[in-house]
Amino acid sequence: MSISRRAGRRGPRRFTRRDLAVLGVLLGIPILLDVFIVWGPTLASIALSFTSWDGIGDIRWVGTQNYENLFTNYPQFWPAARHNLLWLAFLGLVATPFGLLLAVLIDRGVRFSRFYQSTLYMPVVLSLAVVGFIAQLIFSRDQGALNAILGDTEKPTDWLGDPDLNIWMILLAAAWRHTGYVMILYLAGLKAVDASLKEAAAIDGASEAQTFFRVVFPTLRPVNVIVGVITVIEALRAFDIVYAVNKGRNGLELLSVLVTDNIIGEASRIGFGSAIAVVLLLVSMGFVVTYLVQEIRGEKNR
Amino acid sequence: MTLDTAPAPAAAPAAAAPPRKRVLRPGRLGVHAFLMAVSLAFLAPLLLAVYASLRPYDETSEHGYFSLPKKLSFDYYQQAFSDSGMMKYFINTLIIAVPGVLLTLFFASFVAFAVSRLRMRGSIVLLMLFTAGNLLPQQVIVTPLYVLFNRIPLPYWMSDSMTMFDSFWAVIAVQVGFQIGFCVFVLANFMRTLPQEILEAAIVDGASVWTQYWRITLPLCRPALAALGTLQFTWMYNDFLWALVFISDGDKLPITSALNNLRGQFFTDYNLLAAGSVIVALPTLIVFLLLQRHFIAGLTLGSTKG
C-alpha cells in the first residue's frame, strides 16, 4: 500500500512521520489479520487439496487424486452438491420472492405495519442452530406439532427421519429465517425509492403492477444485488441447521458438512476435506466475482 | 444511504393519508388477512417452543403438544440452569463476543476511514480485499486454520491447552478477522456520506491522521457503529461453527454451540430441549426488541447506497 505524496493542493507533505506510524499500525494489523485468517487459509486450502495430508505425517503431493475420488467414489458428494443447489433454488425462487412480496405489501402503508414487520423479522435474530432445534419440536415423528395437527397417529410421517422428505422440512425452516432477512432489505430499499417516480407513473395511467415492475423494481437494483449475494452465500454456507438436527446425515448432507466431517472426524483427512472446500469456493467465487466487478465499477463512478 | 431506512414509526402511514376517509375496502382486508396469517405462522414455532418448555415431558408425550396443560412450570428452566450449568456457557460467549465486537469495530472503522477519507492509492484494492474475504464460505478457511491453531503455542496463562487451538483466542481471532470485512464495507459506505468539509477544515488546522479519525470522523459514525455493534453481537452470539471446530473442551464452548453438546443429556426430552432453545434465543430476542432500530439499521446499512 503506497501512500501518495505528490504535491497537491494541500501542500507538499500530507502525512507526518507520526501519521505514517499510525497508518502503518492501524492498517497493518487488520490487513495482517485478514491475510492470516482469510486469504492465507484460502490459498492453503487450494494447495492442501492436492495432497493426501492427514494433519500429522508428511505432506505428500497426490495431484488431482482427491478430486477424482471425490467425483467418482465418494457416495456422499453428489447428494450433498444436489442439496446445496436445491437450497439455492429454494431460497432464490421461493423465500426471496416471498420476502419481496411481504415488503411490498407492508410498504404500502397498511395499518399495524410495525407489528407485521417486527414479527416477520424476529426469526432473523435466532441462531440457525436454535432454528434447527425448534424444527425438531415441530417435525419430530412421535410428538411433533405437525403430526399432531394432521392427526395421523396410526402411521405418523417421520418428517425429519425420512431421507426423501427431511431436506424439504429443513428448507422450510431455513426459509423462515431468510424471508425476514430479505424483507428488511427490500423494505429499506423501497423506503429509499423516490415517491415522485410512483406519482409520475400513476399520472401516466400505469397500474399498480406496472408501476412496480417497470418503475420501482428497476430502481431497486442495488438491493437486488445484495439480496442475490446473500442468498447465494447463505445457500452455500448452510451448515448449522442440519448439523443441529442430525449432524447432516441421512438425507441432509451438505458440502459444508462433508468438509467438517473430514477434518474434525476421527480420520483427519485434511487433503480430501480441502478438496471439497475448494469445490465450494469455486462455486461461490463465480457469484462473488460478478458482484465485485459491479462494486468496482460503482466505486470508480463515485 | 441513511439511517432513516429503519422502519418509520407506526404513526407515519396513518399521518400520510388523513384527508381521505378510511374505508376498509375488500382488497385491503385481503392484505391484512394475508399478513396476519403469515405473521402468526412466523410466530407459531417460537410460541410452541415456549409452551412446550413449560410443560412436563410425561404430559406432552401422552397427549401431544396440542393439548391443554394440566400443569405449567419453570422446572425445565431450572433444570437447564442447574444441571447443565448454562451460566458458564453464557459467560464463555461474553468472553468471546465482547472483545470480538469491540476489536472488529475499532479496526474496521480505521480501515474504512483510511479507505474512504484519505486519498490513498490502492484504496479500492484494500476495500475489495476485505469485502470479498467476508463473502467466502467459512468451510474454505476452516481446515488450514484448524492446523495452524494447533501449531501456535501459547503460554499456560493464556491457554491451558498450551496452543491456540482449544482457547478463546482462536475463536476471537477468527471472529474479528472474518467480520472486519463486512464492517469495513458498511462503514466505508457510511463515511462517504459524511460531509468532506469538516475533515478539510481539520486538516487546515493541522490535525493528525489519528485526530481526524478519532476526534472527528468516529463521533459522526456513532449511529452506524451502534447499529453494527448490535448486529455483530447477535452474529457472534449465534455463531455455531467456529467454536465447534476450534474448541474441543466442552466447558469452554459458547452457549450456541453448547446447546448441541447438551443434547446428549436431553436425549428424547424435547421439552427440556425446548427450554434450552428458549434460553439460548432469549438474549438475542431481548436485544432485538430493545434495539430493534439499531439492529435493522445494521442489516440495511450496506444495502441501499446513494
Side-chain angles (χ1 to χ4, degrees):
Chain A
M1 168 110 276
S2 69
I3 289 154
S4 78
R5 296 204 196 189
R6 69 204 134 90
R9 281 165 296 170
R10 290 181 194 157
R13 287 196 56 168
R14 289 189 47 214
F15 296 116
T16 63
R17 216 172 263 276
R18 187 165 163 265
D19 287 345
L20 289 176
V22 169
L23 278 170
V25 172
L26 290 183
L27 280 183
I29 295 174
I31 291 173
L32 276 181
L33 258 175
D34 205 43
V35 167
F36 265 105
I37 302 283
V38 180
W39 292 108
T42 305
L43 296 178
S45 262
I46 298 173
L48 285 173
S49 74
F50 296 105
T51 71
S52 65
W53 201 36
D54 59 2
I56 304 159
D58 294 333
I59 300 184
R60 205 161 48 83
W61 215 252
V62 294
T64 54
Q65 196 189 307
N66 284 330
Y67 291 95
E68 280 160 34
N69 279 339
L70 190 57
F71 294 138
T72 54
N73 62 28
Y74 189 57
Q76 292 108 305
F77 177 74
W78 289 111
R82 255 202 324 274
H83 290 155
N84 270 100
L85 288 178
L86 187 65
W87 206 289
L88 179 59
F90 192 80
L91 290 191
L93 301 176
V94 180
T96 300
F98 190 55
L100 174 62
L101 172 72
L102 291 171
V104 170
L105 289 180
I106 289 176
D107 187 59
R108 289 170 51 186
V110 291
R111 254 203 246 185
F112 318 121
S113 62
R114 205 177 148 86
F115 165 76
Y116 294 137
Q117 280 175 41
S118 307
T119 323
L120 294 175
Y121 48 59
M122 197 168 291
V124 180
V125 302
L126 301 180
S127 80
L128 274 167
V130 167
V131 173
F133 289 120
I134 293 178
Q136 291 178 39
L137 289 181
I138 297 172
F139 298 127
S140 92
R141 193 184 68 141
D142 295 324
Q143 303 159 45
L146 185 58
N147 278 345
I149 298 174
L150 298 175
D152 55 354
T153 43
E154 295 296 299
K155 246 178 62 192
T157 315
D158 194 356
W159 299 103
L160 290 180
D162 185 341
D164 294 327
L165 268 180
N166 53 11
I167 187 79
W168 296 102
M169 299 305 122
I170 293 300
L171 283 174
L172 272 183
W176 181 46
R177 217 166 149 274
H178 187 76
T179 303
Y181 197 168
V182 169
M183 187 198 68
I184 308 174
L185 294 175
Y186 274 121
L187 263 179
L190 286 168
K191 285 202 176 24
V193 172
D194 193 350
S196 61
L197 274 177
K198 285 188 237 172
E199 278 163 29
I203 290 169
D204 289 346
S207 71
E208 221 164 313
Q210 278 174 325
T211 311
F212 179 75
F213 284 108
R214 302 248 176 100
V215 180
V216 177
F217 195 69
T219 63
L220 290 177
R221 195 181 133 82
V223 190
N224 289 333
V225 172
I226 297 265
V227 168
V229 171
I230 287 172
T231 305
V232 171
I233 297 290
E234 293 262 310
L236 294 173
R237 278 181 183 173
F239 172 79
D240 314 26
I241 189 168
V242 295
Y243 204 82
V245 168
N246 69 357
K247 304 217 163 182
R249 309 231 158 90
N250 189 30
L252 295 183
E253 290 82 3
L254 289 172
L255 291 176
S256 57
V257 173
L258 301 188
V259 178
T260 314
D261 277 353
N262 274 289
I263 57 158
I264 59 173
E266 275 165 32
S268 175
R269 301 165 72 195
I270 300 233
F272 191 68
S274 300
I276 307 171
V278 170
V279 172
L280 203 55
L281 175 71
L282 287 177
V283 181
S284 58
M285 257 346 219
F287 296 97
V288 172
V289 167
T290 319
Y291 167 68
L292 286 183
V293 167
Q294 145 138 359
E295 272 293 303
I296 291 173
R297 263 195 219 134
E299 203 71 25
K300 290 215 170 114
N301 292 338
R302 261 175 225 281
Chain B
M1 173 199 61
T2 57
L3 279 171
D4 300 338
T5 49
R20 246 190 307 150
K21 228 168 125 191
R22 200 176 262 282
V23 190
L24 213 54
R25 280 168 293 138
R28 196 139 268 228
L29 208 59
V31 168
H32 271 295
F34 177 71
L35 285 175
M36 193 53 86
V38 175
S39 296
L40 288 180
F42 269 56
L43 269 182
L46 273 176
L47 296 178
L48 180 77
V50 174
Y51 184 51
S53 68
L54 296 174
R55 304 178 63 195
Y57 178 70
D58 301 335
E59 201 181 301
T60 40
S61 67
E62 203 185 321
H63 307 287
Y65 285 114
F66 283 107
S67 52
L68 288 175
K70 288 203 187 74
K71 180 178 166 242
L72 290 175
S73 74
F74 286 100
D75 290 354
Y76 279 114
Y77 290 91
Q78 211 179 350
Q79 201 177 331
F81 264 104
S82 61
D83 295 0
S84 32
M86 289 194 108
M87 214 53 222
K88 180 175 65 198
Y89 301 112
F90 271 124
I91 291 169
N92 291 346
T93 289
L94 289 181
I95 292 175
I96 292 169
V98 172
V101 171
L102 293 178
L103 286 174
T104 306
L105 289 183
F106 176 65
F107 285 128
S109 61
F110 190 84
V111 175
F113 162 76
V115 163
S116 68
R117 307 298 272 182
L118 302 177
R119 294 198 195 152
M120 277 186 332
R121 221 176 285 152
S123 50
I124 291 187
V125 177
L126 201 54
L127 187 61
M128 289 301 124
L129 186 80
F130 282 102
T131 309
N134 188 248
L135 297 175
L136 299 174
Q138 282 98 324
Q139 275 79 12
V140 173
I141 62 174
V142 106
T143 315
L145 284 177
Y146 178 80
V147 176
L148 185 71
F149 288 160
N150 260 305
R151 270 147 214 253
I152 296 180
L154 286 182
Y156 191 77
W157 60 269
M158 283 176 79
S159 155
D160 54 19
S161 64
M162 305 289 279
T163 58
M164 192 138 163
F165 177 76
D166 201 21
S167 77
F168 294 129
W169 303 96
V171 186
I172 296 172
V174 174
Q175 292 283 17
V176 174
F178 201 69
Q179 292 299 342
I180 278 181
F182 178 80
C183 294
V184 166
F185 171 71
V186 169
L187 286 171
N189 278 335
F190 184 83
M191 287 180 190
R192 280 210 189 82
T193 64
L194 301 175
Q196 188 73 36
E197 291 77 20
I198 301 177
L199 210 54
E200 271 163 13
I203 292 169
V204 170
D205 289 344
S208 67
V209 164
W210 176 255
T211 311
Q212 292 171 40
Y213 160 71
W214 186 255
R215 307 270 307 270
I216 297 163
T217 311
L218 217 50
L220 294 171
C221 290
R222 219 174 278 152
L225 289 172
L228 271 180
T230 312
L231 191 64
Q232 286 294 334
F233 183 80
T234 57
W235 281 354
M236 291 189 192
Y237 179 96
N238 282 340
D239 165 62
F240 186 69
L241 177 71
W242 298 133
L244 193 74
V245 177
F246 297 133
I247 290 188
S248 63
D249 176 357
D251 281 347
K252 287 186 206 151
L253 286 173
I255 187 89
T256 307
S257 310
L259 186 57
N260 194 51
N261 266 29
L262 294 173
R263 194 157 53 142
Q265 282 163 248
F266 292 168
F267 58 105
T268 45
D269 195 337
Y270 280 103
N271 298 47
L272 185 52
L273 187 62
S277 299
V278 172
I279 291 174
V280 172
L282 213 53
T284 48
L285 284 175
I286 291 172
V287 166
F288 170 69
L289 291 174
L290 291 180
L291 303 173
Q292 214 181 90
R293 212 163 235 286
H294 286 315
F295 180 79
I296 293 149
L299 273 181
T300 54
L301 261 175
S303 66
T304 47
K305 290 194 247 162

